[in-house]
mmCIF file of all heavy atoms in Angstrom:
data_model
loop_
_atom_site.group_PDB
_atom_site.id
_atom_site.type_symbol
_atom_site.label_atom_id
_atom_site.label_comp_id
_atom_site.label_asym_id
_atom_site.label_seq_id
_atom_site.Cartn_x
_atom_site.Cartn_y
_atom_site.Cartn_z
ATOM 1 N N THR A 1023 -29.839 -45.275 13.192
ATOM 2 C CA THR A 1023 -30.341 -45.523 14.545
ATOM 3 C C THR A 1023 -31.857 -45.412 14.585
ATOM 4 O O THR A 1023 -32.540 -46.292 15.123
ATOM 5 C CB THR A 1023 -29.714 -44.506 15.521
ATOM 6 O OG1 THR A 1023 -28.294 -44.660 15.465
ATOM 7 C CG2 THR A 1023 -30.199 -44.708 16.935
ATOM 8 N N SER A 1053 -26.645 -49.544 18.187
ATOM 9 C CA SER A 1053 -27.952 -49.146 17.651
ATOM 10 C C SER A 1053 -28.702 -50.328 17.035
ATOM 11 O O SER A 1053 -29.882 -50.194 16.712
ATOM 12 C CB SER A 1053 -27.805 -48.016 16.633
ATOM 13 O OG SER A 1053 -27.076 -48.464 15.528
ATOM 14 N N ASN A 1103 -18.703 -52.407 11.515
ATOM 15 C CA ASN A 1103 -17.961 -51.143 11.643
ATOM 16 C C ASN A 1103 -16.645 -51.318 12.404
ATOM 17 O O ASN A 1103 -15.896 -50.373 12.560
ATOM 18 C CB ASN A 1103 -18.814 -50.067 12.333
ATOM 19 C CG ASN A 1103 -19.034 -50.345 13.803
ATOM 20 O OD1 ASN A 1103 -19.213 -51.488 14.195
ATOM 21 N ND2 ASN A 1103 -19.026 -49.306 14.625
ATOM 22 N N ASP A 1128 -28.407 -53.816 8.654
ATOM 23 C CA ASP A 1128 -27.888 -52.506 9.032
ATOM 24 C C ASP A 1128 -26.791 -52.175 8.013
ATOM 25 O O ASP A 1128 -25.686 -52.702 8.076
ATOM 26 C CB ASP A 1128 -27.348 -52.593 10.463
ATOM 27 C CG ASP A 1128 -26.557 -51.359 10.865
ATOM 28 O OD1 ASP A 1128 -26.323 -50.487 10.009
ATOM 29 O OD2 ASP A 1128 -26.161 -51.284 12.038
ATOM 30 N N GLN A 1131 -22.503 -49.158 7.213
ATOM 31 C CA GLN A 1131 -21.116 -49.191 6.722
ATOM 32 C C GLN A 1131 -21.020 -49.804 5.329
ATOM 33 O O GLN A 1131 -19.921 -50.056 4.838
ATOM 34 C CB GLN A 1131 -20.228 -49.989 7.694
ATOM 35 C CG GLN A 1131 -20.140 -49.416 9.084
ATOM 36 C CD GLN A 1131 -19.465 -48.041 9.119
ATOM 37 O OE1 GLN A 1131 -18.788 -47.624 8.168
ATOM 38 N NE2 GLN A 1131 -19.634 -47.322 10.213
ATOM 39 N N SER A 1151 -27.474 -44.446 6.953
ATOM 40 C CA SER A 1151 -27.397 -43.019 7.301
ATOM 41 C C SER A 1151 -26.803 -42.239 6.141
ATOM 42 O O SER A 1151 -25.805 -42.651 5.560
ATOM 43 C CB SER A 1151 -26.477 -42.804 8.508
ATOM 44 O OG SER A 1151 -26.964 -43.480 9.630
ATOM 45 N N HIS A 1153 -25.125 -39.456 6.354
ATOM 46 C CA HIS A 1153 -23.820 -38.831 6.612
ATOM 47 C C HIS A 1153 -22.641 -39.770 6.407
ATOM 48 O O HIS A 1153 -21.506 -39.329 6.351
ATOM 49 C CB HIS A 1153 -23.782 -38.226 8.029
ATOM 50 C CG HIS A 1153 -23.732 -39.252 9.128
ATOM 51 N ND1 HIS A 1153 -22.558 -39.619 9.724
ATOM 52 C CD2 HIS A 1153 -24.703 -39.985 9.718
ATOM 53 C CE1 HIS A 1153 -22.816 -40.537 10.669
ATOM 54 N NE2 HIS A 1153 -24.110 -40.766 10.678
ATOM 55 N N LYS A 1154 -22.921 -41.067 6.290
ATOM 56 C CA LYS A 1154 -21.828 -42.004 6.038
ATOM 57 C C LYS A 1154 -21.651 -42.259 4.541
ATOM 58 O O LYS A 1154 -20.800 -43.025 4.130
ATOM 59 C CB LYS A 1154 -22.077 -43.312 6.773
ATOM 60 C CG LYS A 1154 -21.977 -43.169 8.301
ATOM 61 C CD LYS A 1154 -21.989 -44.525 8.965
ATOM 62 C CE LYS A 1154 -22.383 -44.469 10.423
ATOM 63 N NZ LYS A 1154 -21.320 -43.997 11.300
ATOM 64 N N ARG A 1287 -10.062 -43.127 14.606
ATOM 65 C CA ARG A 1287 -10.982 -43.299 15.734
ATOM 66 C C ARG A 1287 -10.353 -44.213 16.772
ATOM 67 O O ARG A 1287 -9.705 -45.200 16.415
ATOM 68 C CB ARG A 1287 -12.283 -43.906 15.204
ATOM 69 C CG ARG A 1287 -13.309 -44.296 16.245
ATOM 70 C CD ARG A 1287 -14.218 -43.147 16.600
ATOM 71 N NE ARG A 1287 -14.984 -43.442 17.809
ATOM 72 C CZ ARG A 1287 -16.215 -43.908 17.826
ATOM 73 N NH1 ARG A 1287 -16.853 -44.117 16.702
ATOM 74 N NH2 ARG A 1287 -16.829 -44.158 18.963
ATOM 75 N N ARG A 1307 -8.974 -47.424 14.976
ATOM 76 C CA ARG A 1307 -9.592 -47.787 13.697
ATOM 77 C C ARG A 1307 -9.243 -46.781 12.612
ATOM 78 O O ARG A 1307 -9.425 -45.573 12.798
ATOM 79 C CB ARG A 1307 -11.107 -47.859 13.850
ATOM 80 C CG ARG A 1307 -11.818 -48.320 12.583
ATOM 81 C CD ARG A 1307 -13.311 -48.306 12.748
ATOM 82 N NE ARG A 1307 -13.812 -46.943 12.888
ATOM 83 C CZ ARG A 1307 -15.062 -46.630 13.193
ATOM 84 N NH1 ARG A 1307 -15.948 -47.580 13.403
ATOM 85 N NH2 ARG A 1307 -15.439 -45.372 13.294
HETATM 86 N N1 7TS B 2504 -24.762 -49.261 12.495
HETATM 87 C C1 7TS B 2504 -23.462 -49.317 12.196
HETATM 88 C C2 7TS B 2504 -22.880 -50.568 11.626
HETATM 89 C C3 7TS B 2504 -22.677 -48.180 12.380
HETATM 90 O O1 7TS B 2504 -21.378 -48.221 12.057
HETATM 91 C C4 7TS B 2504 -23.257 -46.996 12.913
HETATM 92 C C5 7TS B 2504 -22.445 -45.771 13.210
HETATM 93 C C6 7TS B 2504 -24.621 -47.004 13.185
HETATM 94 C C7 7TS B 2504 -25.340 -48.150 12.977
HETATM 95 C C8 7TS B 2504 -25.335 -45.797 13.701
HETATM 96 O O2 7TS B 2504 -25.404 -44.846 12.718
HETATM 97 P P1 7TS B 2504 -26.041 -43.388 13.039
HETATM 98 O O3 7TS B 2504 -25.759 -42.601 11.817
HETATM 99 O O4 7TS B 2504 -27.483 -43.595 13.289
HETATM 100 O O5 7TS B 2504 -25.318 -42.879 14.250
HETATM 101 N N2 7TS B 2504 -21.112 -46.042 13.451
HETATM 102 C C9 7TS B 2504 -20.173 -45.204 13.923
HETATM 103 C C10 7TS B 2504 -18.846 -45.571 14.043
HETATM 104 O O6 7TS B 2504 -18.407 -46.679 13.726
HETATM 105 N N3 7TS B 2504 -18.156 -44.552 14.552
HETATM 106 O O7 7TS B 2504 -18.992 -43.533 14.744
HETATM 107 C C11 7TS B 2504 -20.246 -43.926 14.368
#
Side-chain angles (χ1 to χ4, degrees):
T1023 301
S1053 64
N1103 71 322
D1128 170 354
Q1131 298 295 344
S1151 299
H1153 71 98
K1154 292 190 200 283
R1287 174 88 193 263
R1307 184 183 67 188

